[in-house]
Amino acid sequence: MFVKVCGLSTPESIREAVDAGADAVGFILTASPRVVSPAQVTQLLRSVPDGVAAVGVFRHEPAADAVAIARAAGLEWIQLHGDRTPDDVKTAHDAGMKVIRAVTKGAAQDDFANWGEELLLVDAAVPGSGESWDYGSMRAKGLEGRNWILAGGLDAENVAEAARAAGAWGVDVSSGVEQSRGVKDLAKIRAFVTAAKA
């Protein structure tokens, strides 16, 4: 199970996620209670070892702008939320970036097609809300055999069953490992990664 812990902002939270076995860590570079600056990310990357993907997360920014910000931060992965087109993925790839394309669970079926992104992430209706949803509904989206990540409302208690119900290849968490909005809980990070990997 591929595990990404998102919205990290301290070396301690990164080390906890990595030590627990996380495959990727995410940094929010768009308007959010969890936002960090490119300069902060550059510093935080010192705590990310080789082999762990460091991902810059963007919402509505044009793909070219997201690429420029991610590059300034020293990132090689970008996660694109919002209304996107295949050209956005191409723009990022042409710049040498790897792409996680995020869609919400209720997106049009065409949005679940393979646009060439490295990973597809399927989130709750309101990304970052922490609301759980009918994960089993993903079985009807035609994602079997694809590398895709389940997100939205996951925590250490429900992640294993949610991933099984959805048929997900990986999982992503942010609010489910927080003690308050935007503040990560180290014990919850470890518990989530351990539960997902088990």
Side-chain angles (χ1 to χ4, degrees):
M1 179 65 61
F2 179 94
V3 180
K4 176 170 166 277
V5 182
C6 203
L8 300 178
S9 59
T10 66
E12 294 76 21
S13 61
I14 294 167
R15 282 195 287 269
E16 194 69 29
V18 169
D19 288 349
D23 302 283
V25 292
F27 304 107
I28 310 298
L29 288 161
T30 190
S32 163
R34 307 172 181 98
V35 67
V36 287
S37 69
Q40 285 175 286
V41 172
T42 300
Q43 296 297 317
L44 291 168
L45 285 176
R46 296 175 179 173
S47 300
V48 182
D50 289 343
V52 174
V55 184
V57 180
F58 300 88
R59 187 166 288 123
H60 301 300
E61 295 83 358
D65 293 353
V67 165
I69 295 167
R71 184 172 274 159
L75 297 168
E76 297 177 358
W77 283 81
I78 59 173
Q79 181 170 313
L80 299 174
H81 290 256
D83 293 329
R84 298 293 174 181
T85 69
D87 282 345
D88 292 326
V89 177
K90 184 178 186 303
T91 294
H93 280 161
D94 287 349
M97 293 280 169
K98 295 176 183 174
V99 180
I100 299 174
R101 182 170 63 88
V103 298
T104 58
K105 66 181 181 71
Q109 187 60 38
D110 287 351
D111 289 340
F112 291 93
N114 190 338
W115 293 0
E117 63 276 340
E118 275 68 27
L119 297 170
L120 182 73
L121 182 146
V122 183
D123 210 338
V126 182
S129 65
E131 296 173 6
S132 57
W133 48 285
D134 178 11
Y135 303 112
S137 66
M138 291 308 301
R139 292 282 184 177
K141 298 295 185 183
L143 296 176
E144 292 82 4
R146 294 257 309 272
N147 288 352
W148 72 277
I149 303 171
L150 182 69
L154 300 177
D155 57 31
E157 282 67 50
N158 71 2
V159 62
E161 180 52 39
R164 272 195 296 269
W169 173 84
V171 291
D172 184 29
V173 70
S174 185
S175 55
V177 292
E178 291 179 343
Q179 54 184 315
S180 59
R181 195 157 172 79
V183 180
K184 293 294 186 275
D185 182 305
L186 299 185
K188 287 183 178 180
I189 290 174
R190 181 165 290 276
F192 180 89
V193 177
T194 300
K197 289 289 185 181

